[in-house]
């Protein structure tokens, strides 16, 4: 126990920020694609899905972290799935109680949070090895990162596909909405475009760093 | 065609409401295992088989749960059944064909977290299909999955030979391709009423 304590690194801002930027589950790790594409045809749906997933992620990884020394190695995946499924069932009934309209819009995708690889991945790769506080901070970051990604997609798709943002009209009177953006192909296109943007930014950053290094070497 | 006839359900699940390209289920293997035609075909077959087994099991379980008024346990039961069905398939393949087992490798256990399979079980419960309809639905969904993943693998094999801008390599390009495929599958919308 003492050795474990000494080895563990302290909680830094990076523990939290990692999930939002450098290890963003959607844009960098490409996990949990199905809900990302399926429910982002409007901002409201995207945010609701993001919050529901964050809740399940937080609760399940906290519980896994608490129970990590009691769960036998051989049956750990099955245990994680049962824990996750329990919280998803709770979320399913909660959303049904809060807003029936939202429940109908999200459909089976609330129950499909069970098979979201982000959650199982966090349980297996992080929560089963780290203490409760660290797990909570890290999961919160991941959840917010996921919600952010959903918001990015949902925002673009609703804006272009419907001409509205959160239901309020944005464009001028005669704007012709691009219906394709709300339909399935639009999901693929918008996510592809975001990935292009991010990889372009990353390449530009790398090139700039290289030029700077070159200049420094030249100066000395 | 009658909307609840077996052939209609099969066609609907296979082409019109293709699980991958129209309902966004099972995107992870669709993007991850579609690099080579051969692996894609094997993955498709394994997924189709698991779909069939878990669909039959889900039908039986739902029957029992409704009988005892335990519907809130549905999700947990379904996921447990799917996990064991995947285990069963894994053991069978290992026994029958060790070569195939080695080719599929890690992707076999990962079928458990394929949302197409849990989605199938949930949708057939939602639509209240009877046993024969469930069979048709799961076969149709499996065929649709094979169709989508094979098309994608064929395109990506050709694309390996093409020159593309450096930025768009990898996932972004695959997603654009998937978007085009999905666009062409939209042409089937409305088929069969």
């Amino acid at each position: 126990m003492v050795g474990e304590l000494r080895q563990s690194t302290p909680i830094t801002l990076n523990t939290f920020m990692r999930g939002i930027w450098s290890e963003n589950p959607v844009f960098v790790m490409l996990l949990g694609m199905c809900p990302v594409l399926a429910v982002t045809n409007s901002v409201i749906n995207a945010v609701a899905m993001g919050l529901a997933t964050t809740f399940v992620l937080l609760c399940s990884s906290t519980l896994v972290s608490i129970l990590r020394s009691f769960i036998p190695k051989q049956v750990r995946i099955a245990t994680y799935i049962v824990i996750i499924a329990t919280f998803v069932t709770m979320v399913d009934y909660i959303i049904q109680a809060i807003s029936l309209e939202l429940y109908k819009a999200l459909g089976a995708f609330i129950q499909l949070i069970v098979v979201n690889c982000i959650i199982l991945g966090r349980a297996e790769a992080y929560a089963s090895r780290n203490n409760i506080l660290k797990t909570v901070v890290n999961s919160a970051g991941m959840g917010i990162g996921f919600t952010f990604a959903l918001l990015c997609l949902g925002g673009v798709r609703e804006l272009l596909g419907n001409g509205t943002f959160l239901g309020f009209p944005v464009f001028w009177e005669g704007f012709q909405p691009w219906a394709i953006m709300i339909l399935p192909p639009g999901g693929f296109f918008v996510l592809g475009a975001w990935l292009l943007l991010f990889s372009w930014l990353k390449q530009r950053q790398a090139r700039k760093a290289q030029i700077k290094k070159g200049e420094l070497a030249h100066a000395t | 065609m009658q909307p609840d006839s077996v052939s209609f359900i099969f066609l609907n699940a296979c082409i019109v409401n293709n699980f991958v390209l129209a309902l966004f289920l099972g995107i992870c293997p669709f993007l991850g295992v579609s690099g080579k035609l051969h692996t894609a075909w094997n993955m498709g077959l394994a997924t189709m088989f698991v779909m069939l087994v878990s669909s039959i099991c889900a039908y039986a379980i739902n029957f029992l749960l409704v009988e005892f008024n335990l519907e809130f346990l549905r999700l947990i039961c379904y996921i447990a059944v799917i996990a064991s069905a995947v285990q069963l398939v894994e053991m069978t393949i290992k026994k029958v064909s060790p070569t195939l087992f080695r080719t599929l490798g890690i992707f076999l256990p990962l079928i458990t977290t394929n949302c197409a399979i849990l989605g199938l079980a949930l949708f057939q419960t939602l639509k209240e299909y009877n046993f024969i309809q469930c069979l048709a639905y799961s076969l149709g969904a499996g065929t649709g999955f094979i169709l989508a993943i094979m098309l994608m693998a064929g395109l990506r094999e050709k694309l390996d030979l093409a020159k593309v801008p450096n930025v768009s390599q990898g996932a972004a390009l695959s997603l654009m391709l998937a978007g085009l495929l999905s666009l062409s599958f939209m042409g089937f919308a409305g088929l069969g009423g």
Side-chain angles (χ1 to χ4, degrees), chain A residues 7 15 28 53 70 82 90 103 132 146 154-155 182 184 186 199 212:
Chain A
Q7 271 175 10
T15 320
V28 181
T53 311
F70 300 105
V82 171
M90 276 166 61
Y103 182 76
I132 300 165
F146 184 68
I182 316 189
S199 83
K212 211 170 187 181

Side-chain angles (χ1 to χ4, degrees), chain B residues 90-126:
Chain B
E90 201 177 340
M91 286 191 311
T92 318
I93 292 182
K94 200 175 181 181
K95 186 86 187 165
V96 175
S97 159
T99 347
L100 183 61
F101 181 74
R102 270 197 299 276
T103 336
L104 285 175
I106 179 71
F107 296 119
L108 211 49
L110 279 184
I111 297 179
T112 315
T113 51
N114 183 340
C115 31
I117 292 166
L118 186 63
L120 176 82
L122 291 173
F123 282 140
Q124 75 177 28
T125 315
L126 206 68

Side-chain angles (χ1 to χ4, degrees), chain A residues 30-35 37-39 81-82 85-86 88-89 93 108-109 111-112 114-117 120 157 180 183-185 187-193 195-197 199-200 203, chain B residues 20-28 30-31 71-73 75-76 79-80 83 112-115 118-119 122-123 126 166-169 171-172 175-180 182-183 186:
Chain A
L30 295 176
L31 289 175
M33 287 284 127
C34 306
L37 292 165
V39 299
I81 285 192
V82 171
T86 313
V88 172
T89 311
Y93 281 96
F109 278 93
Q111 302 194 337
L112 285 174
V114 179
V115 282
N116 192 327
C117 351
L120 195 63
R157 285 181 73 184
I180 193 76
L183 295 170
F188 285 115
F189 287 138
V190 174
L191 184 59
L195 287 180
L196 269 183
L197 182 71
S199 83
W200 181 71
Q203 275 197 1
Chain B
V20 179
L21 297 170
L23 298 178
F24 296 122
L25 294 169
I27 299 287
C28 302
F30 176 67
L31 292 177
E71 282 98 339
F72 58 90
L73 284 177
L75 194 60
I76 299 178
I79 193 76
T112 315
T113 51
N114 183 340
C115 31
L118 186 63
L122 291 173
F123 282 140
L126 206 68
N166 215 1
V167 187
S168 65
Q169 256 160 9
L175 279 167
M176 290 293 177
L177 259 186
L180 289 177
S182 164
L183 199 60
M186 259 177 59

